[in-house]
Amino acid sequence: WIELFQQEIQLPSRKLDRLLRWESYTVGERIANSIILYSCKDITPSQKIQKALIEQVKLLITKMEYFGAHTGNHVINNARAIYLAGVYFQCEPWRKFAELIFRRELPLLVSSDGFLREGSTHYQFLFTRWILEILFFVEAVYDDQLKSFLIPYVQNLLQKCSFFGANLESNHP
């Protein structure tokens, strides 16, 4: 993939924005899923792959899916990718940037009882998985302040997933 497409990252925005593989959501998924795989399997990717991921994180930071009052759940997915990359590449500014987004947007996107504001059963599960993945990486770097912030969301989100018929047991307090 990198051999075929990574050079496109240098294209002007108007051209890059027309390519699905460079939409923010897609870039975030590529970053996060790569880092999850490398972390869970204890794989060290080549320097070329690492460089490509770093370039993609920098691009994603400039293309956050933030639309003021109309911001949806994708901004959390963007921030998830940036936070995971911040942990993986030991980049504190990326972690802090993502944390600011979590702290600002989670209270707006998740109701006090744990339902995702958008009302999608599908996204309730997907969004919950994102937050669990973030929590996994938060715990890996012993970020207790962010963990304390996320735990109530995890508990409420998991509870509401159960509301939709999933029998989920949480190992988290």
Side-chain angles (χ1 to χ4, degrees):
W1 191 94
I2 291 170
E3 293 295 328
L4 291 174
F5 303 115
Q6 184 66 27
Q7 77 281 357
E8 292 174 346
I9 205 167
Q10 304 303 324
L11 291 171
S13 292
R14 68 185 188 289
K15 289 185 179 182
L16 195 64
D17 289 345
R18 288 189 225 142
L19 300 171
L20 178 62
R21 63 186 157 265
W22 293 108
E23 288 183 2
S24 300
Y25 186 87
T26 306
V27 172
E29 282 293 295
R30 186 167 43 251
I31 294 164
N33 291 323
S34 296
I35 289 170
I36 289 168
L37 175 68
Y38 298 144
S39 296
C40 289
K41 297 302 277 179
D42 198 25
I43 297 170
T44 301
S46 70
Q47 288 295 314
K48 188 175 202 169
I49 292 172
Q50 290 182 49
K51 181 178 182 254
L53 288 171
I54 289 167
E55 288 176 348
Q56 290 177 44
V57 172
K58 290 177 180 178
L59 175 71
L60 183 58
I61 289 169
T62 69
K63 296 176 53 133
M64 298 294 293
E65 293 178 80
Y66 182 77
F67 308 108
H70 303 289
T71 299
N73 67 67
H74 285 194
V75 76
I76 297 296
N77 192 43
N78 300 160
R80 171 184 72 122
I82 294 164
Y83 188 87
L84 272 55
V87 171
Y88 190 78
F89 291 110
Q90 300 175 4
C91 182
E92 185 77 12
W94 290 351
R95 285 180 42 209
K96 293 300 180 189
F97 176 72
E99 181 178 348
L100 288 172
I101 295 165
F102 301 146
R103 289 185 182 276
R104 175 180 164 75
E105 296 302 320
L106 280 173
L108 301 173
L109 292 169
V110 180
S111 69
S112 60
D113 62 352
F115 279 113
L116 190 57
R117 178 186 73 192
E118 296 163 14
S120 164
T121 305
H122 166 75
Y123 266 108
Q124 184 76 30
F125 286 98
L126 185 58
F127 190 88
T128 301
R129 190 196 83 204
W130 293 342
I131 304 304
L132 287 167
E133 290 168 354
I134 295 163
L135 184 60
F136 178 84
F137 280 80
V138 163
E139 289 175 339
V141 292
Y142 307 103
D143 189 342
D144 292 334
Q145 288 184 340
L146 185 52
K147 179 180 176 178
S148 294
F149 173 76
L150 291 175
I151 289 292
Y153 287 98
V154 167
Q155 292 170 334
N156 286 339
L157 287 163
L158 283 170
Q159 184 181 43
K160 292 314 176 228
C161 286
S162 295
F163 173 84
F164 290 115
N167 186 8
L168 302 172
E169 296 288 327
S170 173
N171 292 332
H172 295 285

